[in-house]
Amino acid sequence: MKKKFLIGLCLVLIVVLGYILRRNNYASVPLPGQSTDEYSNAWVGLSLIRLGVPVGISGLVGIRDYPTYINPDRILSSTVPGGALPISYPWFDHPPMMGIFSGTFAYLRGVRNFEDVAIVSIRKPMLVLGTISVALVFTLASLWFSPSVGLVAGLLYATSPLVVVGSRMVQAENALVPVWLTSLILLALAQKKNRPDLIRLAAFFAGLAVLFKLSGVVAIISGVVLIGKNKKSLAEFLIISLSIAFLFVIYGLSIDAKEFVAVFSSNANRVYGIGLDAVYDLFTSTKITSTKYLTDGWPLVGWLGMVFLAARKNRSSFPLLIATTGYLAVYILFGSASYGWYRIPFLPFLMIAVGYFFTEGVVGSGGLMALVAVLIPMGINLSKLFETNKAPLLVNGMRLGIFGLVLVTLTSLVLPENRRLRITVKALIWILLATTILTNILYLSKIDVDYWYKVN
Amino acid sequence: MNFIKKYLIIYWLFVLALILSLRWHKQTSFSKDGLQKILLTQSRFKNQTDDPCQYSVVGEPETAGRYVKLTFKCSDREARFSLDYAAINEKTVGGVILELFRINGIARDLTSLRCNQGGRTVKMEDGIVPQDNIECNL
């Protein structure tokens, strides 16, 4: 009972921290207009409500567009070079749920025309979705592994600079994540509590994920693989999830069948923009928009954790591997452009992998791996924090400290029977992890609009 | 009746309601005027100014040759704009200036402007073609 209360309290604190970090500078970082999709998403919903036809920005070849100057937040004077936006209607480039979500919020706030749509307003519900995702990451990691994995994963998802800044944007992936996580949580609960009725609810959320973005089909794929050989549950899951996803087709055909088919064929012939080095790029770079990179070491540690998990052949890690590789397959299949937000759905699973890595894996050679791994984000964060004001004392401390830590960890490997040494290594790694999370928070507090201009 | 049968009946009833409501909403709500209004109405939160040189429109139109250049000579500085010809609804000198005024929130009477093109004075109702280069003095 006491343990449950403590875990609950920690979760509340993590969620509050996640919200505060997301809220700080949310309207200026990333800069309004760095992705015009943010406005377009709200415009789609707003026009659907007001005109009964979705209107948005389209970049599809062969689809008629009407160049129009729309200048919300004065983006045409700052971040949007080229000026006129390629407006198309009816807009069927993507499923409508993200538009309906942000457009409805804007409409309820009194917005009636496109230029009234302001970033300061439409990013607000994204902060809530991002915060909910923190709690969902905790819940899913707790169900798949243990509450301690959940706490570390949740804490990292709440504080990783890349996750925090990316989650502010009005991008469909930021809604797809909580919907997919909910579906996975329901599937995990169905298996744990032997309640097949929860599979039906999971199927609903898996189908809903597709209504936010077509890449949400990963929620159906991962659900099917996780359910496995139970034919009745599998049939129910497929019928419900596919029927919900099919509502996108019904929606498109009802509004304008000819245009919907044209957009669908144009989408199918999109340029393969992520390049043949997409997987390498995914592991080595951390993008926010199409051009802005925010260096963050946690995703790389997540990939290392994923390799560590796969090598352990632990059955409890299968769902995590299925979800991650499932999205990797979808990411490569769709591969239309190298935008940072296409990578957002990887992040919850990468953070869960890090959580497992540090909570369950810090034994034997895992300790040495964890030590090296934690130095990746810590080094990056410290180099950003002391970018202009080099601290010689810190540099010497790092050099000698790392040398000493590696020696201690190696000694514990040579003397595995020495319990005290093992505990010391584990404690040191935990202290390093806590320090690195603190540097996450300090780095995030530094990322304001002035700093953002320098990020490349 | 098992769950899936019940589900499919409710689902198809929902689909029918969705189709009817989407079609009805489009028929009763969509008009070209409504579309123009939602696209082109200026934000009520936008600060208005009477200085056409205060705000820029960054960059150039992406389609080669499909532009109209506009220069304002204000008292202490000059502002140059390159607008997409296709985005201008009223293809006149006054039309392109009013479009720029709408984009940047400029509240100014066109009669206060004296414009010329290639040294020749032009009136606000004169037509424009792609690649025109208009200069205006306040």
Side-chain angles (χ1 to χ4, degrees):
Chain A
M1 189 68 191
K2 200 177 170 188
K3 196 181 169 192
K4 272 190 178 173
F5 173 76
L6 269 177
I7 290 169
L9 184 69
C10 287
L11 175 63
V12 171
L13 291 175
I14 289 169
V15 168
V16 171
L17 176 67
Y19 179 75
I20 292 169
L21 292 175
R22 277 157 180 76
R23 203 176 193 289
N24 191 25
N25 292 316
Y26 80 95
S28 50
V29 177
L31 293 174
Q34 256 173 351
S35 164
T36 45
D37 283 3
E38 291 194 83
Y39 295 100
S40 181
N41 278 324
W43 293 344
V44 165
L46 190 62
S47 52
L48 200 54
I49 293 167
R50 291 208 61 204
L51 304 171
V53 171
V55 182
I57 299 173
S58 176
L60 292 180
V61 179
I63 299 301
R64 187 166 178 197
D65 66 67
Y66 304 85
T68 310
Y69 285 97
I70 309 170
N71 198 8
D73 297 322
R74 291 200 180 273
I75 54 171
L76 299 183
S77 300
S78 52
T79 44
V80 182
L85 302 169
I87 295 293
S88 89
Y89 69 92
W91 183 93
F92 295 129
D93 293 25
H94 297 290
M97 279 312 286
M98 187 66 231
I100 292 171
F101 177 73
S102 61
T104 304
F105 182 80
Y107 186 81
L108 293 174
R109 302 273 305 213
V111 170
R112 292 294 178 268
N113 61 64
F114 282 6
E115 214 178 76
D116 273 344
V117 171
I119 278 290
V120 71
S121 170
I122 57 171
R123 278 191 188 163
K124 270 183 186 158
M126 303 317 292
L127 305 181
V128 177
L129 281 185
T131 311
I132 290 171
S133 297
V134 173
L136 294 173
V137 165
F138 162 82
T139 311
L140 188 60
S142 302
L143 285 166
W144 279 349
F145 300 104
S146 65
S148 46
V149 176
L151 284 177
V152 177
L155 192 54
L156 291 173
Y157 200 76
T159 62
S160 154
L162 184 78
V163 176
V164 170
V165 175
S167 71
R168 294 170 184 161
M169 298 179 83
V170 189
Q171 297 291 355
E173 282 77 3
N174 279 324
L176 188 159
V177 163
V179 175
W180 183 18
L181 290 176
T182 306
S183 173
L184 290 171
I185 287 168
L186 289 164
L187 282 174
L189 280 173
Q191 265 176 350
K192 257 197 175 159
K193 300 193 169 181
N194 198 19
R195 280 186 53 189
D197 55 314
L198 291 178
I199 291 181
R200 296 167 188 160
L201 207 53
F204 169 79
F205 282 101
L208 189 63
V210 182
L211 294 182
F212 278 98
K213 190 113 190 205
L214 286 178
S215 54
V217 73
V218 68
I220 299 178
I221 295 170
S222 55
V224 166
V225 179
L226 285 170
I227 292 167
K229 290 174 185 165
N230 186 336
K231 278 184 187 166
K232 192 181 169 230
S233 295
L234 195 62
E236 283 190 353
F237 184 86
L238 275 171
I239 290 170
I240 296 171
S241 60
L242 290 175
S243 63
I244 299 289
F246 190 68
L247 289 176
F248 176 39
V249 179
I250 306 272
Y251 154 88
L253 295 178
S254 307
I255 292 175
D256 189 333
K258 205 175 147 195
E259 184 73 3
F260 183 73
V261 173
V263 171
F264 221 78
S265 350
S266 175
N267 247 330
N269 297 318
R270 270 176 109 165
V271 179
Y272 195 76
I274 59 170
L276 297 173
D277 58 348
V279 175
Y280 172 77
D281 194 41
L282 185 66
F283 293 161
T284 54
S285 71
T286 43
K287 273 187 177 178
I288 290 275
T289 63
S290 55
T291 51
K292 282 268 179 189
Y293 291 81
L294 183 69
T295 316
D296 187 347
W298 290 112
L300 182 59
V301 180
W303 289 116
L304 289 174
M306 213 61 87
V307 173
F308 180 73
L309 266 166
R312 279 199 138 192
K313 291 178 188 162
N314 181 351
R315 268 203 79 80
S316 61
S317 66
F318 282 4
L320 180 62
L321 295 171
I322 288 166
T324 315
T325 48
Y327 189 70
L328 181 66
V330 170
Y331 174 79
I332 290 170
L333 176 75
F334 284 11
S336 61
S338 182
Y339 296 130
W341 50 86
Y342 287 179
R343 300 167 178 203
I344 287 172
F346 284 115
L347 298 173
F349 305 105
L350 293 178
M351 296 308 141
I352 293 174
V354 182
Y356 178 83
F357 194 25
F358 284 100
T359 321
E360 309 281 327
V362 191
V363 283
S365 56
L368 193 63
M369 271 182 74
L371 173 69
V372 176
V374 77
L375 294 174
I376 299 171
M378 191 164 110
I380 289 171
N381 288 354
L382 286 175
S383 74
K384 299 290 173 192
L385 285 169
F386 296 96
E387 218 162 14
T388 46
N389 183 18
K390 308 275 181 215
L393 202 66
L394 181 79
V395 174
N396 284 331
M398 281 282 283
R399 285 169 74 181
L400 295 171
I402 292 168
F403 181 71
L405 276 169
V406 172
L407 277 188
V408 172
T409 316
L410 279 174
T411 315
S412 82
L413 274 179
V414 179
L415 302 169
E417 69 284 354
N418 190 327
R419 194 167 163 266
R420 196 173 284 176
L421 202 57
R422 274 202 328 264
I423 292 170
T424 310
V425 169
K426 220 169 173 174
L428 283 171
I429 291 170
W430 275 102
I431 290 169
L432 273 181
L433 184 66
T435 313
T436 311
I437 289 168
L438 183 67
T439 61
N440 277 352
I441 298 167
L442 293 173
Y443 181 28
L444 270 168
S445 63
K446 194 183 166 183
I447 305 175
D448 57 9
V449 68
D450 293 332
Y451 184 83
W452 190 249
Y453 275 108
K454 290 181 241 164
V455 172
N456 52 35
Chain B
M1 213 165 20
N2 69 26
F3 174 79
I4 284 297
K5 272 186 189 164
K6 278 186 204 165
Y7 170 78
L8 286 175
I9 290 170
I10 295 169
Y11 175 77
W12 286 114
L13 286 174
F14 175 76
V15 164
L16 189 67
L18 182 71
I19 294 170
L20 293 175
S21 58
L22 282 171
R23 290 202 169 159
W24 171 82
H25 185 33
K26 184 186 165 186
Q27 264 176 6
T28 53
S29 310
F30 186 78
S31 69
K32 290 269 177 190
D33 279 353
L35 178 67
Q36 289 294 307
K37 213 171 162 187
I38 202 171
L39 286 172
L40 303 177
T41 305
Q42 283 197 60
S43 169
R44 58 207 146 102
F45 308 114
K46 200 187 230 173
N47 291 331
Q48 297 285 315
T49 174
D50 63 351
D51 178 5
C53 297
Q54 190 171 340
Y55 297 105
S56 61
V57 174
V58 293
E60 298 280 328
E62 284 171 6
T63 311
R66 203 180 72 183
Y67 63 83
V68 176
K69 288 203 181 287
L70 198 55
T71 306
F72 286 100
K73 292 187 172 169
C74 304
S75 54
D76 54 344
R77 61 197 186 282
E78 200 174 273
R80 292 166 189 273
F81 302 91
S82 190
L83 298 186
D84 191 325
Y85 180 79
I88 298 157
N89 285 328
E90 196 192 323
K91 313 279 189 203
T92 61
V93 173
V96 69
I97 295 171
L98 282 175
E99 178 63 358
L100 181 77
F101 282 9
R102 183 191 68 79
I103 296 166
N104 278 347
I106 297 156
R108 193 179 183 105
D109 194 350
L110 290 187
T111 53
S112 66
L113 302 172
R114 296 282 168 271
C115 300
N116 62 74
Q117 188 179 196
R120 181 178 63 87
T121 304
V122 287
K123 289 186 209 148
M124 292 300 158
E125 55 275 16
D126 287 351
I128 52 161
V129 292
Q131 301 180 30
D132 268 357
N133 192 344
I134 301 158
E135 279 186 12
C136 294
N137 294 294
L138 303 187

